Amino acid sequence: MDKEFHKSMNLKSRIPDWVDFFVFSGLISICSFGFVQKHAGLPGVAGYAIFVTCALLLVRFVAGKFRPVGKSKSIWLAIAFFVILVGLFLVVYPIENSGGLGLGSDRDDALNIGVRSLARGHYPYYEVTQFGSPLSPMPGQLLIAAPFVALGNCVYQNWLWLAILFLGYVKWFRSYWWSVVLVVVPFLVSPSLLYEWISGGDLIANGIYLFICMYAAGKVATNEKSGWISLLASHVGFGILMCSRPNAWFLLPLYGLWVWKKAGFSRSLCLLLITGCTVLALVLPFYFHDPAHFTPLTTCDKLSQYNGLVPHASLMVLALTGLVSLFGGMRVFLAPSGPDERLLWRWCMAVLMTPILSTVLLSSLSSHHLDFGVLADRYGVMCLFFGVAGWGACMIHEEAVAG
């Protein structure tokens, strides 16, 4: 890692940015609040938040005491951790998939069924999972998972995207050592992230490829030397990934304003049109085939249950999420010019968390006590990787930089 990067990150030697640190700790913690509350109640949530903060402080202190190991050793550490995770998955996944852990998840089942139905030429959204649930994956998600389903199971996409995440962190943090730390630590302290891994859920892959593709598309978009072929290909790919979940669409205003700032209005507009047209080309044929059975939209409309509590609650949350995206985009657009995209990643995290936290608020009002139940389904995992990119630098010691 070079010292210019630390200057761009505004890190202080020996003294961490405590605001960033506690935000980072809170973001990792909140992703598992629902999971912890389900099994240990609100006292468990408070204890878990304290545990995560202490664990991150310990990691920062211990990891910062060591001069970062070299590239080759860091890669071997990353490989060792990856092998452990895969081994854990291979042992626990069959048990979890059969309901042996008493928890159960059908996210992997939904993707496998949807892709296989589509491969047979059938409309995938007439199918249901093993639990009788309608399919929630959007068409882009089915397309992305298809090669892995062809290999036997969509769960393998988590393996590939986790490896790509490590390489993305290396590019972003400019350090193999700290990239290993920032991949490993969330798995060690977040039960929701670990359970999403062993259950084969799609939120890990979904969160990673949104972050990685936005990062890669942004690099192409803001590079003056990029030709139209690379611009077109990167943003068609970006559009396909945007079709993974409807909440991802709210990231587009942020991205568009950031590209406008870096590369000009005309390029930003053209690239947003390419991305938007790709989204429409994928979604509309499935939607118009049978609007009543296009289940990704109906299953995502979990907020409608609160319309009786707060009139038009679902529309208000959608409007709030859009406003957060526009406000964040303006903050990114008006921020002083700089080489890093930390502000972009932070606002992406804020946009993705807005509907989740809004649902927590509505659920708490409905139950008359603090209720993180919506987070028991681990939706916060999808936001986590933007959060690490945005706030993870607070874990890095400048004195640990290799000379």
Side-chain angles (χ1 to χ4, degrees):
M1 187 189 299
D2 57 39
K3 298 195 176 183
E4 278 184 25
F5 177 69
H6 271 287
K7 288 179 182 177
S8 72
M9 290 291 189
N10 294 321
L11 298 179
K12 299 174 184 177
S13 178
R14 302 182 181 279
I15 302 175
D17 184 332
W18 290 110
V19 174
D20 279 3
F21 176 82
F22 284 113
V23 170
F24 181 64
S25 175
L27 291 175
I28 291 182
S29 301
I30 201 170
C31 291
S32 294
F33 277 0
F35 194 89
V36 174
Q37 184 179 8
K38 182 178 179 180
H39 299 283
L42 287 174
V45 170
Y48 170 70
I50 294 170
F51 160 75
V52 171
T53 301
C54 293
L56 293 178
L57 282 170
L58 180 63
V59 168
R60 192 183 189 282
F61 176 77
V62 173
K65 286 295 181 183
F66 294 94
R67 197 168 185 81
V69 298
K71 173 181 174 180
S72 60
K73 289 183 179 179
S74 296
I75 291 174
W76 280 112
L77 284 171
I79 292 172
F81 180 70
F82 181 78
V83 169
I84 291 171
L85 277 182
V86 170
L88 182 66
F89 171 84
L90 293 174
V91 171
V92 179
Y93 175 71
I95 301 171
E96 191 282 335
N97 203 39
S98 63
L101 296 181
L103 298 172
S105 172
D106 61 356
R107 288 198 177 112
D108 56 327
D109 195 37
L111 278 175
N112 288 329
I113 290 172
V115 171
R116 287 166 184 158
S117 175
L118 194 59
R120 293 192 299 268
H122 299 163
Y123 187 65
Y125 299 113
Y126 291 145
E127 307 284 349
V128 295
T129 69
Q130 60 182 344
F131 295 151
S133 304
L135 303 193
S136 62
M138 294 287 286
Q141 210 172 357
L142 297 178
L143 189 61
I144 297 160
F148 304 95
V149 176
L151 292 173
N153 199 325
C154 68
V155 298
Y156 304 139
Q157 67 178 332
N158 285 341
W159 303 9
L160 174 66
W161 286 108
L162 185 64
I164 293 174
L165 177 69
F166 171 69
L167 297 177
Y169 280 174
V170 168
K171 181 72 173 175
W172 173 237
F173 292 108
R174 303 184 192 178
S175 166
Y176 283 86
W177 165 244
W178 285 105
S179 296
V180 171
V181 171
L182 291 170
V183 168
V184 170
V185 168
F187 276 96
L188 297 182
V189 300
S190 175
S192 286
L193 180 60
L194 188 60
Y195 180 70
E196 189 69 7
W197 174 268
I198 62 174
S199 67
D202 63 313
L203 291 172
I204 293 176
N206 199 177
I208 294 173
Y209 60 61
L210 282 177
F211 164 63
I212 292 295
C213 194
M214 183 179 285
Y215 188 22
K219 289 296 184 185
V220 175
T222 57
N223 186 345
E224 294 179 356
K225 297 180 180 179
S226 296
W228 275 106
I229 293 177
S230 59
L231 289 168
L232 179 65
S234 62
H235 286 77
V236 167
F238 189 35
I240 293 171
L241 296 178
M242 283 284 115
C243 288
S244 56
R245 273 186 167 81
N247 61 336
W249 300 343
F250 288 100
L251 298 176
L252 288 176
L254 261 173
Y255 177 77
L257 284 165
W258 180 75
V259 174
W260 181 359
K261 175 184 177 180
K262 296 286 187 178
F265 174 76
S266 58
R267 176 172 286 200
S268 173
L269 180 61
C270 288
L271 296 179
L272 279 182
L273 286 173
I274 292 170
T275 304
C277 288
T278 304
V279 170
L280 294 176
L282 268 177
V283 173
L284 292 184
F286 287 92
Y287 176 77
F288 285 119
H289 179 82
D290 190 344
H293 285 88
F294 189 65
T295 51
L297 293 184
T298 57
T299 55
C300 287
D301 190 21
K302 300 179 186 295
L303 290 163
S304 59
Q305 63 183 302
Y306 299 110
N307 286 342
L309 176 69
V310 178
H312 309 295
S314 54
L315 291 176
M316 289 172 64
V317 171
L318 291 176
L320 176 62
T321 306
L323 288 173
V324 171
S325 181
L326 289 172
F327 179 77
M330 291 306 300
R331 288 295 305 272
V332 171
F333 184 79
L334 297 174
S337 296
D340 74 277
E341 296 88 5
R342 268 196 315 162
L343 194 58
L344 176 65
W345 307 141
R346 291 180 176 191
W347 279 105
C348 286
M349 174 81 179
V351 168
L352 293 175
M353 285 298 293
T354 296
I356 296 173
L357 295 180
S358 298
T359 308
V360 169
L361 176 61
L362 290 169
S363 180
S364 299
L365 290 173
S366 176
S367 57
H368 305 292
H369 64 81
L370 193 57
D371 183 11
F372 294 102
V374 65
L375 292 170
D377 290 328
R378 306 175 301 284
Y379 292 115
V381 167
M382 183 178 167
C383 318
L384 190 60
F385 310 104
F386 283 108
V388 173
W391 279 278
C394 67
M395 296 288 290
I396 300 174
H397 280 268
E398 187 173 1
E399 63 267 25
V401 177

